[in-house]
Amino acid sequence: MRGARNGFYYGSRLRFAHAFVMGFLFGHGSLQKRFTWAVKMALRHGKILALFAFTYKSVQCILANLRGKASPIHSFIAGIIGAFMLLHFKTDMSINRQVGYYLSARVLEGIFLKLQKEGYLPQVQLNLFDSVYSIVWALVMFLFEFDAKLLNKSLVSSMNFLYKNSDKPLKNYEELIPFDIPSFKIHQ
């Protein structure tokens, strides 16, 4: 039960901060609507992480009791079942995708580090993050130029704003200012 509580607390706290800032900067509507949206997103994220943590810890305990001792494979099995529960109960897929992508990056880094530690990959002087980071940027830029339809729509929209809109000639110096300048009209 404590895992579910901690999952809800951590997930909602983490998401609220992100959703509040993003809603304030990029949201539409009144501040009250933006705040309400941030609270809803926080509750959704908290619920998802609570469900996963509860399922994961429950399955781990059940498997350890059945075998008489804990095993690392129990974590793997509990992880699959926890993920299945999130999919089965049709939790918010946009949040699930974000968490999945975040975890994928962390898992890949962990696998590389483990392979280096075990001697299957050479220990290189380059920082692993720097190498992976550079490759990811290279791949996303290649895909964007090669066939942008392969990428997420919101990513493509952001990349169009950053890299395609900047190809247009400037109309005036105000376009170089990094925020919108309100226009004032004097009524006579």
Side-chain angles (χ1 to χ4, degrees), residues 67-86:
R67 287 200 68 219
K69 64 178 183 172
S71 169
I73 194 69
H74 296 162
S75 298
F76 183 82
I77 294 167
I80 288 175
I81 294 171
F84 174 77
M85 293 300 284
L86 296 179

Side-chain angles (χ1 to χ4, degrees), residues 1-187:
M1 291 306 285
R2 186 175 193 112
R5 178 262 179 212
N6 288 353
F8 183 80
Y9 173 77
Y10 183 81
S12 57
R13 192 175 113 195
L14 179 74
R15 174 57 67 166
F16 178 76
H18 178 263
F20 182 74
V21 170
M22 296 303 286
F24 181 75
L25 293 176
F26 302 110
H28 302 288
S30 68
L31 285 177
Q32 182 180 358
K33 274 189 166 184
R34 295 177 196 195
F35 181 79
T36 303
W37 177 80
V39 169
K40 285 180 183 176
M41 292 304 293
L43 294 174
R44 284 183 192 160
H45 197 128
K47 183 179 89 173
I48 289 169
L49 205 48
L51 176 60
F52 181 85
F54 177 78
T55 304
Y56 174 79
K57 292 302 287 181
S58 297
V59 171
Q60 264 194 325
C61 289
I62 291 167
L63 292 174
N65 284 331
L66 289 173
R67 287 200 68 219
K69 64 178 183 172
S71 169
I73 194 69
H74 296 162
S75 298
F76 183 82
I77 294 167
I80 288 175
I81 294 171
F84 174 77
M85 293 300 284
L86 296 179
L87 297 171
H88 176 72
F89 284 110
K90 298 184 183 352
T91 55
D92 190 319
M93 284 308 294
S94 65
I95 293 173
N96 289 340
R97 278 191 191 94
Q98 291 169 13
V99 171
Y101 293 143
Y102 171 81
L103 293 175
S104 297
R106 298 298 187 215
V107 166
L108 281 175
E109 182 181 30
I111 289 170
F112 278 111
L113 292 173
K114 180 66 174 171
L115 291 172
Q116 282 183 336
K117 183 179 175 184
E118 298 296 324
Y120 296 111
L121 288 178
Q123 295 286 339
V124 291
Q125 294 301 326
L126 290 174
N127 180 336
L128 178 65
F129 172 78
D130 294 351
S131 302
V132 173
Y133 183 72
S134 299
I135 291 168
V136 167
W137 268 107
L139 288 172
V140 76
M141 295 313 297
F142 173 78
L143 287 173
F144 175 65
E145 295 296 340
F146 178 69
D147 189 356
K149 292 179 186 132
L150 298 172
L151 298 171
N152 176 282
K153 287 180 185 177
S154 71
L155 175 63
V156 171
S157 176
S158 298
M159 293 178 82
N160 278 328
F161 175 76
L162 291 167
Y163 309 116
K164 296 298 183 187
N165 289 359
S166 62
D167 291 343
K168 297 175 184 173
L170 289 175
K171 294 176 186 167
N172 58 50
Y173 73 93
E174 291 175 348
E175 291 182 10
L176 294 174
I177 299 172
F179 52 86
D180 290 332
I181 300 172
S183 59
F184 297 99
K185 293 183 181 179
I186 300 174
H187 297 286

